[in-house]
Amino acid sequence: MADKLGQPFMPWQRLVADVGGEIDPLTGLPAYREVIVTIPRQSGKTTLFLSWQINRCVSRRWQHPQRSAFTAQTGKDARDKWIDELFPLIRNSALKSLISSKGSRLEINEGMGNECIKFKTGSLIRLLSTSTSSGHSKTLHQAVMDEVWHDTDDRREQGLRPAMITIQDAQLLVCSTAGTDDSLVLNRKVEAGRESVLADTGSGVAYFEWSAPDGWDPADEASYFTFMPALCPDPPCRCAPPGQKWRHTITLAALRAERAAMEKIPGEYRRAYGNIKTSTTDEIWQVFTQAEWNNAGDPESQANDPVVFAVNTSWERTHTSIAAVGERADANLHGVIVEHRPHGDWVIPRMVELAQKWRPAGIVLDPSGATNSITEELDKALAAANVRDCVGELLEVRTLTAREAAAGWGMVYDAISSQRRENPDEQLAGRRLKWRSDMHAEALTTSVKLGTKRSLGDGHAWECKTSLDMSPVKAMTDAVFGFVTRPVVTPTAFFGSFR
């Protein structure tokens, strides 16, 4: 059927069709009354189930007439898919000869609420709504539940199963990409499906899943080939062996474009193309996981002299943060938010006071944001107070370039994340960052948790043009870069708390 539809099955589709379509030799009935497929988007699941439905309506294997139903997350979504995609696909394929006709007109009804396609066998495929009564008074031999991740309750399934209960050879076909914590129906089916795979009874539920592994890094392009069966390794696709005409449907170039477009919603990208369920927590923690961030916290972390300070003001000038970064006794990095207050006249006097007390290796500042307004004034204040750095030189503010800001983001990512970037920062030398979790921890954690990244040159940086107060994590990030790239001096006195 797929060949005649002009959509020859890829190997993964053939696998699902062959296994899901198995017949129990003892009963003559389908071995699996329910077939569940969860796979990344754009892999070809719609054409797989369309071919399956047409086969049910025309194959001699079944006693006709057969009734097959298609449902999506809403009646409108089902109608749009069939009107815009599937009806035209059938009309323009070799399968149109199997459709019943009245004169020269094929019996494809596109009327609102009566969408269906009738075959010469008397069988038909009908679109149904998602209400609990959608299948009532209709006997169904087969039903498709498309994109079931949208279902937060059982109303769609409750509308279908009663119509299939008296049909011994009925089949329910469920297909979807992964959902969220609210996807109650899909999450339950995934759990039951995985259990059925472990039980391996050869009957009941046939479950198929292609998804990225735990800890997946979307930047690792080689990893996509381990769970994305519709991905072509060498486009234009010539992967089919001689005599076969199937084609992969996805390319790495398309995935790169999608990842760039969805950069600010990485959780949704992982859901759509990694087939990974997202949760409220996952969606909030956009750059690090909560576990990664918590593991990096240390209420007793301390650093040796010297340190580097950084100052940052939020985009809307609501708050300013001062961070300090130094090296711990275990050679890892120590980071602390020394000050986090509403923006005001306190910033420069406090920074001068800290610099006089601790004689840092430097003070860094990113001039691309709101902090730029204090750069010149801070330099003048440091000079007026004759503040010296750790080697006795007059202390001046170091302003970062865009490239340096991106490098700082990469350093912080490498120092906290459990994932490995393709090109980890060499200057960081594998060191981890431990942040002082008893000083302004709430403000820092909030900026990390809610913050997103943006592309900057060949790297990334924190997205600071936002109403969110990003000053804590931005200050710490700049301080990390300033410390890692500072002129090296021999540690002397022990550097403790700023209290």
Side-chain angles (χ1 to χ4, degrees), residues 17 32 34 47 105 136 144 152 157 180 185 229 231 243 245 351 397-398 430 457 499:
Y32 302 100
E34 183 171 355
T47 53
R105 185 176 65 86
H136 290 186
V144 172
T152 59
E157 193 165 6
T180 69
V185 175
L231 178 60
K245 298 181 180 180
M351 189 65 260
V397 176
R398 174 186 177 185
R499 298 185 189 280

Side-chain angles (χ1 to χ4, degrees), residues 65 68 70 205 251 361 381 464 466 482:
S68 180
F70 179 90
V205 175
T251 65
C464 294
T466 172

Side-chain angles (χ1 to χ4, degrees), residues 12 68 78 137 157 232 248 257 260 297-298 318 367 381 383 393-394 400 404 417 429 444 486 489 491 494:
W12 84 264
S68 180
S137 303
E157 193 165 6
C232 182
H248 288 115
D298 182 354
T318 59
E393 299 291 332
L394 188 65
L400 303 183
E404 289 172 333
S417 176
L444 176 60
R486 79 200 186 286
V489 294
F494 190 79

Side-chain angles (χ1 to χ4, degrees), residues 30-73:
Y32 302 100
R33 192 170 177 89
E34 183 171 355
V35 179
I36 304 170
V37 178
T38 176
I39 194 168
R41 288 188 60 192
Q42 303 302 318
S43 295
K45 57 184 182 295
T46 299
T47 53
L48 165 64
F49 286 109
L50 173 61
S51 301
W52 209 322
Q53 287 186 279
I54 295 174
N55 176 272
R56 185 79 188 214
C57 289
V58 302
S59 173
R60 295 177 181 177
R61 174 68 184 75
W62 313 105
Q63 183 177 351
H64 297 285
Q66 295 280 310
R67 296 290 183 267
S68 180
F70 179 90
T71 68
Q73 55 268 38

Side-chain angles (χ1 to χ4, degrees), residues 217-276:
D217 178 9
D220 180 7
E221 293 189 345
S223 68
Y224 288 83
F225 293 97
T226 66
F227 63 85
M228 190 171 273
L231 178 60
C232 182
D234 186 23
C237 189
R238 302 174 296 274
C239 299
Q244 298 184 30
K245 298 181 180 180
W246 57 265
R247 295 290 183 269
H248 288 115
T249 57
I250 305 174
T251 65
L252 281 174
L255 290 171
R256 291 185 196 113
E258 285 293 284
R259 191 154 65 93
M262 302 170 75
E263 185 175 31
K264 294 185 179 180
I265 46 172
E268 175 59 17
Y269 181 85
R270 291 192 294 271
R271 186 199 69 78
Y273 297 106
N275 199 31
I276 299 172

Side-chain angles (χ1 to χ4, degrees), residues 303-311 322-327 338 350-364 378-379 382 385-398 479 482-483 486-490 492-493 495 498:
N304 293 321
D305 277 337
V307 298
V308 167
F309 288 104
V311 185
I322 298 176
V325 169
E327 188 172 78
V338 182
R350 178 58 171 151
M351 189 65 260
V352 171
E353 178 187 358
L354 290 169
Q356 287 177 318
K357 181 176 182 180
W358 298 108
R359 297 189 64 180
I363 298 175
V364 298
L378 178 56
D379 258 333
L382 291 169
N386 195 32
V387 180
R388 301 286 167 165
D389 64 15
C390 59
V391 293
E393 299 291 332
L394 188 65
L395 184 61
E396 296 181 338
V397 176
R398 174 186 177 185
F483 182 79
R486 79 200 186 286
V488 177
V489 294
T490 303
T492 53
F495 184 87
F498 289 94

